[in-house]
Amino acid sequence: MFAHLNPLKWRTSTKALWISFLLPVIIMTIYFGFRGMAPFGSSSILTVDLGQQYIDFFESYRHALFSDPLSIFYSFAKGLGGETYGDWAYYLLSPTNLLLLPFSNTYLPIGILFLTILKYGLAGWSFAYALKSMRWQIGWRLPLFSVTYAMMGWFVANDLNLLWLDAAILLPLIIAGLERYIEGRSAWRFIAPLFAIFMINYYMAYMIGLFLVLYIIWRLFWQPYRLLERWHILRKFIFGSIISIGLSTVIWLPTAYTLLNSKGQHMLDNLSWKFEYQAPDLLGKLFLGTFNFDQMPSGLPNIFVGSLPIIMLWFFFTYRLIRWQTRLVAFFITAFLVVSMMYAPLNLMWHGFQFPVWYPYRFSYVFSFWVIWLAASVWSPTLRFSWTQLGSLFILAVAAVVYLYYRLDSLNFLTQNQLIIGGSFFLLLLGFHALPIRSGWWLPMVTLLVVGEMTTSTIWSLNNFSYLTNTEYTTYIKSLNQITADLPKSDKDFYRVAQSFQRTKGDPLQAHYNGASTFSSALEHQQSDFMAAIGQPEGDNYITYNGGTLVSDALLGMRYLIQPSGQEPHTSGTPTNMRTYSRSDTNGYYQMTKHTQMAVLSKNPYALPLAFAANANALNVKFKDNDPLRNQSDLWNALLGYDNTPIFESANFDSSAATNMTAPTTITGAFLKKENANAVGSLTVTYTPSTDDPYYLTIGDALNNDNVEIQLNGKALPTMPSHRHTIIVPLPSYQKGQTQTITFILKKNDLWLQNVSLYRANTDSIHAQAQTLQHNAFKPSHISQTRISGKITIPAGNGLMMTTIPAADGWTAYVDGKETDTVTVGKFFIGLALKPGEHSVTFKFTPPYLKISAIVSLGFALFMAGLGWSESEKRRHSLHQF
């Protein structure tokens, strides 16, 4: 009874499918083991976005499924708080992610390595299964194409983007399912995988949808169909597509709404009607190993598929026994895909009308699939080329090599060795196909050449990258886990945590606390706008909080601050090694509550609660561009309802001294220029605190790491974060009477001291006013990611319940049991206009359009269930009649 479990008794096709899966798995396991990636050594698979962004989402995925399922919809660990349903739809809905659940955040790199290897194997299996389903290839010919597909240039270049790989895995199943559906098989063969990719990653699904339109056009000309037959094919395609889209409405509709508030704000930005590079340069990408770090931000499409598919593509277009209509339409589709990878407007269309940040031409996997698919449709070991086909292809190949040889200096991804080795593989495979006699060794030799070429290309490409050591990652995560382990956890309490060290902007997701940093492709633009207003680094898809003040800490409810201990500053992965701007402005004001070997935890007595009674004047606050300390002061004072002594007062520098330049009389806005371009140029300014209050320095976006190094008292400040607006640098407190020096060392010939100003905080006022706001605090009875309930007493003279919940569609407020309209403070925070007295208040969050989209998806599911039942009833009725 267990005979079917014995591989020796499997059919050849079954064995071939297993080999199609195992061959890429074995190759990649050996490679990663050779590179010493955990668990095989001290390195890790973490690099670029995988190490800086995705791994944090994977830990949040584990935490949500094990401990906090409501964070699937909303999380206060996403910056200051944001909708996360769209993040899950983009990053986390692959069912293969379930394999990461056994791995704690310390060991996640190991789980990710195994998951990456698995996806290589699944890509090989899916393509082999699709070919077997089409009956185009059988037996031991399947691994030939499965390895080619699994290790094509796009897959290798994006193996760190695990969230995209499912698209390449499912695409062959979608196409094969469509073919079987057209032939009269079950519609689910097409609907199921198409529905799956819509659910797993809407972004890649959009690209597949565009490709399917092209594919069905070609399919209509595959055979000399009559008009009615073509209509039946098209009708089935439309029906299956609509059902797949309808079933997945619960994912894509709420996500689409979210995108309009994030990435959608930048649609059609930087559109230019031009070709983005010299068209013949694309030929260079057909050679092995043509992917490196320089290709990530602005490279050419990754379309390497090996020599055999290119040879067979030429055969496909020149083989006269294939209908000329089929070849002509295939040629136009191929040309359209090629032009799409060159012409900016078409490229923009494939990316949802928004140019990607890094990883350009992300849709090129559909081109690679198309080429390999066409090649597999006509290849066989008995195939015979005419001498005209062989000769013309050889001439074209030589011409391509000659052109690329003279372009080598302009192509940073191609070398002479790659031309020689790639050309050799091409000539060998072309030669094998020119042999008139093909014995039993022919197929094994061709397979060996194909596998050898694909493996060489994979190794060559991946060797161009450096990876984070596993020790560096685990050292940091263990330190972060230890210092945050004892943070209070209660469903009746809320606070945020600030930090002055950071491995990634996703640290709050890793250690499961509410912070103020995040890196997400679905980041609400309001979060970036607010952080810019208060002087924090931000971008279209990230915010970070590493230049806080006593006021911003208090306002945002930063009850705790974690800082490096100062130990092992030169050891990779320690908090000290990854420090950001020091929060020495808190010295003497925050009380230390925990000290580990690597980090220090302190408590902020000024931190405000999540909500509190405030003056309605706050509704009139308007922020000024590039004046963050004034913005903080204005909002703070408005909450108290009166004009008060400024919380931050402008301070003057005592003196300035310059080296290799003229010292300016006024620092703010001054232009510095070296007298000798080849010598060091610097400007040193001093100030002497008249009190123990902390001081703050502001710097405009004209100052960055490329043009200046800033030193405080002779020690270089940590790397300046990327910023688009004026940001804040905290300076030490409790330095009364001690002269402080700030030195600007120019890295270029000149420098604009844009918005370089000095300020002093009035801590006495901050302390007294914070106590006033804390006195009328919201008293929560329940707090979760999507529901906040409690009571608040509004005193006479105040008419606003101020919260630090970011305003967003989806939040609904109930006051004393009645739904109540909210107001917005500073164009960012939720507020409620309330009358004096005690009130019961509840906030609930539901992703916009989630309910209606769930109803639509359920409706489509019921429709398909009813249709299936109806068809089964018809079959049973027919059998009874028979």
Side-chain angles (χ1 to χ4, degrees):
M1 64 180 294
F2 297 105
H4 64 283
L5 297 177
N6 184 356
L8 298 177
K9 295 186 178 181
W10 287 346
R11 290 179 296 177
T12 301
S13 59
T14 303
K15 293 178 182 178
L17 286 175
W18 271 104
I19 294 299
S20 297
F21 170 78
L22 290 174
L23 196 53
V25 166
I26 292 170
I27 293 172
M28 296 312 301
T29 302
I30 293 174
Y31 172 76
F32 289 136
F34 180 79
R35 287 294 300 265
M37 295 180 178
F40 306 112
S42 60
S43 183
S44 78
I45 196 173
L46 303 181
T47 186
V48 199
D49 281 358
L50 181 56
Q52 293 295 315
Q53 182 185 21
Y54 304 151
I55 192 168
D56 302 322
F57 278 107
F58 289 144
E59 174 55 24
S60 71
Y61 173 87
R62 295 180 65 258
H63 182 67
L65 296 187
F66 284 140
S67 306
D68 192 9
L70 292 177
S71 63
I72 296 172
F73 304 103
Y74 192 93
S75 175
F76 284 99
K78 179 186 177 181
L80 292 168
E83 183 268 352
T84 51
Y85 195 68
D87 292 281
W88 276 67
Y90 183 66
Y91 293 101
L92 298 173
L93 288 185
S94 171
T96 59
N97 291 340
L98 293 170
L99 299 176
L100 297 176
L101 294 182
F103 299 90
S104 68
N105 61 349
T106 306
Y107 298 103
L108 262 180
I110 297 175
I112 292 173
L113 177 79
F114 291 145
L115 182 57
T116 302
I117 292 172
L118 173 66
K119 291 198 175 187
Y120 273 100
L122 291 175
W125 175 87
S126 71
F127 199 83
Y129 180 84
L131 292 183
K132 178 178 175 292
S133 175
M134 295 292 293
R135 298 179 292 277
W136 285 353
Q137 303 296 334
I138 58 173
W140 300 114
R141 291 148 54 174
L142 293 173
L144 190 73
F145 289 96
S146 66
V147 171
T148 298
Y149 186 72
M151 304 178 75
M152 62 184 177
W154 182 90
F155 207 94
V156 172
N158 290 284
D159 69 358
L160 58 92
N161 292 309
L162 287 172
L163 60 161
W164 296 344
L165 301 186
D166 293 70
I169 294 169
L170 287 170
L171 180 54
L173 303 182
I174 293 170
I175 296 296
L178 174 60
E179 292 290 352
R180 298 283 71 82
Y181 178 35
I182 290 173
E183 290 181 358
R185 303 286 186 90
S186 170
W188 285 109
R189 288 175 175 260
F190 173 54
I191 293 172
L194 184 57
F195 161 72
I197 191 56
F198 271 111
M199 295 289 288
I200 291 170
N201 192 287
Y202 62 86
Y203 185 58
M204 291 288 123
Y206 166 77
M207 300 174 188
I208 288 177
L210 293 182
F211 175 70
L212 285 175
V213 173
L214 298 177
Y215 187 87
I216 200 65
I217 292 174
W218 177 67
R219 188 60 175 76
L220 292 174
F221 291 91
W222 192 355
Q223 298 290 342
Y225 298 119
R226 293 173 298 172
L227 184 60
L228 185 59
E229 290 176 310
R230 287 193 172 99
W231 165 242
H232 286 319
I233 292 173
L234 186 60
R235 186 184 62 182
K236 286 187 173 183
F237 169 73
I238 294 173
F239 174 79
S241 300
I242 290 176
I243 294 299
S244 300
I245 294 171
L247 290 171
S248 59
T249 302
V250 67
I251 291 295
W252 66 259
L253 182 56
T255 302
Y257 183 84
T258 300
L259 290 176
L260 292 176
N261 198 37
S262 54
K263 295 170 73 72
Q265 297 287 315
H266 310 286
M267 292 179 68
L268 301 178
D269 282 358
N270 303 315
L271 174 60
S272 57
W273 301 85
K274 65 178 183 180
F275 284 84
E276 299 178 307
Y277 53 88
Q278 294 186 32
D281 288 351
L282 187 60
L283 294 171
K285 280 293 188 170
L286 297 176
F287 285 79
L288 72 181
T290 52
F291 183 68
N292 54 39
F293 187 82
D294 292 334
Q295 289 289 292
M296 279 190 177
S298 57
L300 272 63
N302 296 296
I303 57 171
F304 174 76
V305 291
S307 299
L308 181 61
I310 300 303
I311 293 171
M312 293 311 305
L313 184 66
W314 181 250
F315 177 84
F316 183 92
F317 288 135
T318 58
Y319 190 45
R320 294 185 177 181
L321 292 183
I322 300 175
R323 296 181 69 246
W324 69 266
Q325 296 93 335
T326 305
R327 288 183 288 144
L328 182 63
V329 175
F331 174 80
F332 280 122
I333 291 173
T334 306
F336 178 78
L337 291 172
V338 170
V339 173
S340 294
M341 294 186 291
M342 300 177 184
Y343 190 50
L346 291 179
N347 179 33
L348 191 67
M349 176 195 70
W350 282 94
H351 292 98
F353 300 97
Q354 182 184 27
F355 280 115
V357 179
W358 283 46
Y359 313 108
Y361 311 103
R362 299 173 183 182
F363 69 95
S364 60
Y365 70 97
V366 301
F367 172 80
S368 298
F369 167 83
W370 172 249
V371 171
I372 302 172
W373 190 250
L374 290 181
S377 71
V378 293
W379 185 87
S380 76
T382 60
L383 190 68
R384 290 291 186 268
F385 283 75
S386 69
W387 287 108
T388 301
Q389 289 174 312
L390 291 171
S392 58
L393 182 56
F394 177 77
I395 293 171
L396 290 174
V398 170
V401 170
V402 170
Y403 169 81
L404 293 171
Y405 178 80
Y406 284 102
R407 287 282 295 165
L408 284 178
D409 292 340
S410 302
L411 304 176
N412 61 17
F413 57 85
L414 190 63
T415 66
Q416 184 174 326
N417 286 338
Q418 287 168 284
L419 280 178
I420 293 172
I421 296 174
S424 299
F425 274 112
F426 183 87
L427 289 176
L428 283 171
L429 283 167
L430 189 62
F432 268 92
H433 284 81
L435 292 176
I437 300 176
R438 302 177 185 181
S439 59
W441 54 265
W442 188 88
L443 180 59
M445 287 301 297
V446 169
T447 302
L448 184 62
L449 282 173
V450 169
V451 173
E453 183 180 23
M454 302 309 296
T455 302
T456 302
S457 178
T458 299
I459 294 173
W460 207 322
S461 292
L462 295 181
N463 279 352
N464 287 326
F465 295 89
S466 59
Y467 296 83
L468 187 71
T469 67
N470 196 52
T471 302
E472 178 178 346
Y473 172 80
T474 56
T475 296
Y476 184 87
I477 295 301
K478 288 178 180 178
S479 299
L480 187 64
N481 288 345
Q482 288 173 358
I483 197 62
T484 59
D486 297 327
L487 288 173
K489 296 177 176 62
S490 170
D491 64 356
K492 297 182 180 180
D493 189 20
F494 180 92
Y495 59 87
R496 293 187 175 97
V497 179
Q499 57 191 100
S500 62
F501 62 87
Q502 185 180 75
R503 193 190 77 82
T504 73
K505 298 172 182 66
D507 279 357
L509 296 176
Q510 278 284 357
H512 320 131
Y513 58 83
N514 303 324
S517 301
T518 194
F519 182 7
S520 169
S521 291
L523 179 66
E524 301 87 348
H525 73 89
Q526 292 90 344
Q527 293 219 46
S528 296
D529 295 343
F530 176 76
M531 295 301 263
I534 65 169
Q536 306 304 307
E538 51 76 38
D540 292 335
N541 53 13
Y542 74 90
I543 58 172
T544 186
Y545 186 78
N546 60 12
T549 69
L550 297 185
V551 169
S552 62
D553 281 2
L555 179 66
L556 298 176
M558 299 290 176
R559 188 186 302 171
Y560 294 96
L561 169 66
I562 51 178
Q563 302 182 83
S565 65
Q567 298 295 313
E568 302 185 33
H570 303 297
T571 301
S572 296
T574 64
T576 305
N577 182 257
M578 296 187 172
R579 66 191 185 281
T580 55
Y581 288 145
S582 171
R583 289 304 307 276
S584 54
D585 61 315
T586 67
N587 293 347
Y589 298 104
Y590 294 5
Q591 293 83 42
M592 186 179 72
T593 60
K594 184 178 180 180
H595 191 295
T596 66
Q597 181 183 358
M598 294 298 174
V600 177
L601 178 70
S602 57
K603 189 173 183 179
N604 174 14
Y606 309 137
L608 300 182
L610 179 63
F612 50 89
N615 194 279
N617 282 351
L619 297 173
N620 301 320
V621 169
K622 294 183 179 179
F623 295 137
K624 183 179 179 182
D625 290 343
N626 296 309
D627 201 348
L629 291 174
R630 174 181 171 178
N631 292 336
Q632 290 188 25
S633 183
D634 287 350
L635 178 55
W636 182 265
N637 286 328
L639 293 170
L640 294 156
Y642 53 87
D643 294 329
N644 198 6
T645 302
I647 296 299
F648 297 102
E649 297 178 357
S650 179
N652 294 320
F653 293 108
D654 297 335
S655 64
S656 63
T659 301
N660 191 26
M661 66 183 67
T662 301
T665 56
T666 301
I667 302 303
T668 304
F671 285 90
L672 307 180
K673 186 174 180 61
K674 291 182 181 180
E675 295 173 352
N676 181 353
N678 297 319
V680 175
S682 65
L683 173 70
T684 298
V685 295
T686 66
Y687 71 96
T688 304
S690 57
T691 68
D692 283 328
D693 293 327
Y695 281 67
Y696 297 94
L697 179 72
T698 61
I699 54 177
D701 62 291
L703 289 82
N704 55 61
N705 287 312
D706 293 332
N707 58 23
V708 67
E709 175 185 304
I710 303 177
Q711 296 182 351
L712 175 64
N713 297 326
K715 294 184 179 180
L717 293 178
T719 301
M720 193 182 311
S722 175
H723 57 289
R724 306 186 297 187
H725 302 83
T726 299
I727 61 173
I728 298 170
V729 181
L731 300 174
S733 62
Y734 280 85
Q735 301 294 311
K736 181 179 179 179
Q738 301 179 42
T739 300
Q740 308 291 302
T741 63
I742 301 174
T743 303
F744 300 90
I745 302 175
L746 277 65
K747 296 181 180 180
K748 296 182 179 180
N749 288 334
D750 50 44
L751 179 69
W752 176 26
L753 298 180
Q754 179 195 25
N755 292 337
V756 174
S757 300
L758 186 67
Y759 295 85
R760 179 183 67 85
N762 188 331
T763 52
D764 289 339
S765 295
I766 294 171
H767 175 72
Q769 294 167 6
Q771 285 186 329
T772 299
L773 294 172
Q774 289 170 338
H775 181 70
N776 298 308
F778 173 67
K779 297 177 176 58
S781 58
H782 174 80
I783 291 181
S784 69
Q785 304 289 3
T786 60
R787 188 175 182 273
I788 299 167
S789 299
K791 295 182 180 296
I792 188 171
T793 299
I794 305 295
N798 286 347
L800 176 69
M801 177 181 176
M802 169 71 181
T803 81
T804 55
I805 303 171
D809 290 341
W811 281 109
T812 305
Y814 300 87
V815 178
D816 300 326
K818 296 181 180 180
E819 185 174 339
T820 303
D821 292 337
T822 61
V823 293
T824 304
V825 179
K827 294 184 178 181
F828 186 60
F829 292 121
I830 292 177
L832 283 172
L834 300 179
K835 295 179 180 180
E838 184 179 86
H839 300 279
S840 296
V841 179
T842 297
F843 296 96
K844 295 180 180 179
F845 179 82
T846 303
Y849 294 100
L850 178 60
K851 293 181 180 179
I852 185 64
S853 64
I855 292 172
V856 171
S857 290
L858 179 61
F860 272 89
L862 292 175
F863 169 76
M864 288 302 293
L867 186 63
W869 177 84
S870 175
E871 290 179 349
S872 64
E873 283 294 304
K874 289 179 181 178
R875 284 194 293 270
R876 280 196 292 269
H877 182 68
S878 298
L879 288 173
H880 288 318
Q881 283 185 329
F882 179 77

